Amino acid sequence: MVNKPSLQILPLLGRHLWRRYCALDAKKSMHVAESVSRQPTLTLNNRKKKVALLVGYNGQGYNSFQIKPGNRSIEDQLLMALQKGGFASEEECQNSESVFLHCGAKTGKDISAVKQTVSLLLSTDNNVEERLNSHLPPEIRVLGIRPLAAEIDSALIRDPDFCTYGYILPTFALSPFGLESKSFRASPQLIDRFREILGLFEGTKNLHNFLLRSKFENPDSERSIKKFECLEPFELGNQQYVECQVTSKIFKKDQIRLMVNNF
């Protein structure tokens, strides 16, 4: 806002020039007020620190975790929740690097994550978890939040070449033909045999038989599997389950399911 001249110089300006001066001053004041009103209002303070969010989500209907122009992504939803909750401005949310948002693993189309680590700069005020969840769709939940040292980042601790995938199935899927039943319990010998078979996939091999519409001569049929293991069975709802974990480069959709189901 421009300072008005003192009344002593009014005669020097002349009445018509004084009116023009006041009109110009009022116009500038209005412009400043409009500019201030357009600034994003943050409901939390600006004391931001590096934190880790533990996020779980159902990826059905999402193209991936990472933002891809023209596609729906988990990262898009997180950034919108940050803006709606007053944790970041609209300008910051247009570029995830502005809030240093990085995920600990990559996921593809329709892929879900029970626990995904996301690091970012965030306000240290209370009720952050509840406020973010109130602005997220029900299929995406923030499960926890922990402070991080400034030098730690999810993108840095992520293996650039390998990811670990989990696949849970009921053990009756491993039962001999004709004995399929929810009351089935896998013996230690059967689990050991299953582990031996999964171990055969380890290494760099052509896995075209476990890819839809893929041929042996297709270079994309080769996969490098670092580890393929079966964890100990566990009980859930009067039924026995087992989790398979495979550490490898990114798979195509349904490839792990085809590999396990052909046991």
Side-chain angles (χ1 to χ4, degrees):
M1 184 174 181
V2 179
N3 292 326
K4 294 181 180 180
S6 63
L7 294 177
Q8 285 79 3
I9 67 170
L10 179 58
L12 299 177
L13 285 174
R15 182 172 296 177
H16 66 288
L17 290 178
W18 174 248
R19 287 175 178 173
R20 288 180 61 186
Y21 182 89
C22 291
L24 178 62
D25 184 53
K27 185 176 181 181
K28 288 183 178 180
S29 299
M30 184 179 298
H31 176 74
V32 171
E34 290 177 352
S35 177
V36 171
S37 66
R38 287 196 296 267
Q39 294 297 320
T41 302
L42 300 183
T43 57
L44 300 177
N45 63 47
N46 291 322
R47 294 182 292 107
K48 295 182 179 180
K49 293 184 178 180
K50 181 72 73 65
V51 300
L53 295 183
L54 188 62
V55 181
Y57 54 86
N58 181 347
Q60 190 70 32
Y62 291 90
N63 186 74
S64 63
F65 178 91
Q66 296 83 6
I67 291 179
K68 292 183 179 179
N71 293 285
R72 195 172 180 227
S73 71
I74 304 297
E75 189 174 358
D76 271 329
Q77 300 298 318
L78 286 174
L79 289 172
M80 282 193 287
L82 289 174
Q83 181 182 340
K84 291 178 180 178
F87 298 101
S89 67
E90 180 180 357
E91 291 77 12
E92 288 176 320
C93 291
Q94 289 175 353
N95 179 12
S96 59
E97 288 297 326
S98 297
V99 291
F100 295 90
L101 192 153
H102 299 126
C103 63
K106 298 178 181 179
T107 57
K109 185 178 180 181
D110 296 328
I111 302 298
S112 303
V114 177
K115 292 183 292 185
Q116 174 86 292
T117 303
V118 178
S119 61
L120 73 159
L121 287 179
L122 197 60
S123 167
T124 56
D125 283 10
N126 295 327
N127 302 320
V128 174
E129 182 179 332
E130 292 79 2
R131 296 188 66 164
L132 280 177
N133 281 330
S134 69
H135 296 290
L136 285 169
E139 64 270 15
I140 305 174
R141 293 290 90 182
V142 174
L143 306 175
I145 179 172
R146 293 290 185 274
L148 281 180
E151 64 272 13
I152 298 178
D153 193 283
S154 292
L156 298 178
I157 62 176
R158 182 178 66 207
D159 191 323
D161 297 319
F162 291 91
C163 294
T164 299
Y165 301 82
Y167 187 88
I168 298 175
L169 71 156
T171 54
F172 71 75
L174 308 177
S175 62
F177 181 75
L179 297 179
E180 300 90 344
S181 171
K182 292 186 179 182
S183 61
F184 179 84
R185 296 295 184 272
S187 66
Q189 292 78 14
L190 180 61
I191 296 297
D192 287 341
R193 176 59 179 154
F194 185 44
R195 286 169 175 155
E196 290 178 9
I197 294 174
L198 294 181
L200 297 176
F201 289 111
E202 295 179 356
T204 301
K205 295 180 172 61
N206 190 309
L207 300 175
H208 72 285
N209 287 332
F210 306 101
L211 290 167
L212 298 176
R213 296 179 295 276
S214 182
K215 297 181 179 180
F216 179 84
E217 57 271 19
N218 187 351
D220 195 41
S221 298
E222 276 201 352
R223 287 292 185 273
S224 296
I225 296 180
K226 196 173 185 179
K227 184 187 293 185
F228 206 161
E229 59 184 348
C230 170
L231 305 185
E232 290 296 324
F234 62 93
E235 299 282 334
L236 182 63
N238 297 322
Q239 192 165 322
Q240 189 185 52
Y241 293 86
V242 71
E243 180 181 356
C244 302
Q245 287 189 353
V246 53
T247 302
S248 176
K249 293 187 177 180
I250 294 177
F251 279 104
K252 288 188 176 180
K253 183 182 178 182
D254 294 330
Q255 185 176 356
I256 299 175
R257 178 181 60 82
L258 292 172
M259 295 168 68
V260 173
N261 289 356
N262 279 274
F263 169 69

